[in-house]
Amino acid sequence: LLLCRAEEAAAVIVSGLRSTDVFVGESATFTCELSQPGVRNVQWWLDGTPLHNNLVTEISEQDGRIHTLTLNDVACHDSGTVTFRAGPLISTAKLLVKGISLLA
């Protein structure tokens, strides 16, 4: 009788992205939690465009499991689909940026 050691379980998404509504000029934050660290090829996208860490786009990682994207000073044209990809895992959410009505 041969006993095979179970392969290490693949990472899964514990908590996926949540759709967010914000007003123009505010920040929008998206968080995705993975079951374990070490997943490679982590990438964030907005409507199919890859995002990179800069003054407006803050990308961070905590313990290798909690991945956070913050979009600062958003504009109406930032509305769209945010996608988080870590290896084969994908989570998406909608970002809706609302304008401020001048008619009060």
Side-chain angles (χ1 to χ4, degrees):
L1 179 66
L2 290 174
L3 293 176
C4 294
R5 203 175 119 218
E7 284 189 32
E8 192 173 313
V12 295
I13 293 175
V14 176
S15 175
L17 303 182
R18 293 189 180 165
S19 294
T20 303
D21 293 6
V22 294
F23 286 104
V24 168
E26 292 183 338
S27 295
T29 300
F30 296 88
T31 302
C32 191
E33 182 179 348
L34 303 179
S35 61
Q36 62 192 44
V39 178
R40 296 191 180 162
N41 302 326
V42 171
Q43 178 68 60
W44 290 92
W45 308 75
L46 177 58
D47 272 349
T49 302
L51 298 174
H52 304 284
N53 222 355
N54 56 42
L55 291 173
V56 180
T57 307
E58 294 176 33
I59 297 171
S60 64
E61 180 184 304
Q62 185 180 337
D63 301 331
R65 297 186 323 112
I66 299 170
H67 298 266
T68 304
L69 166 70
T70 301
L71 300 172
N72 294 308
D73 194 23
V74 295
C76 288
H77 67 261
D78 291 320
S79 292
T81 301
V82 173
T83 303
F84 171 79
R85 175 179 259 152
L89 305 174
I90 296 177
S91 181
T92 61
K94 294 282 187 195
L95 170 61
L96 176 62
V97 180
K98 297 181 278 192
I100 298 169
S101 174
L102 297 176
L103 304 171

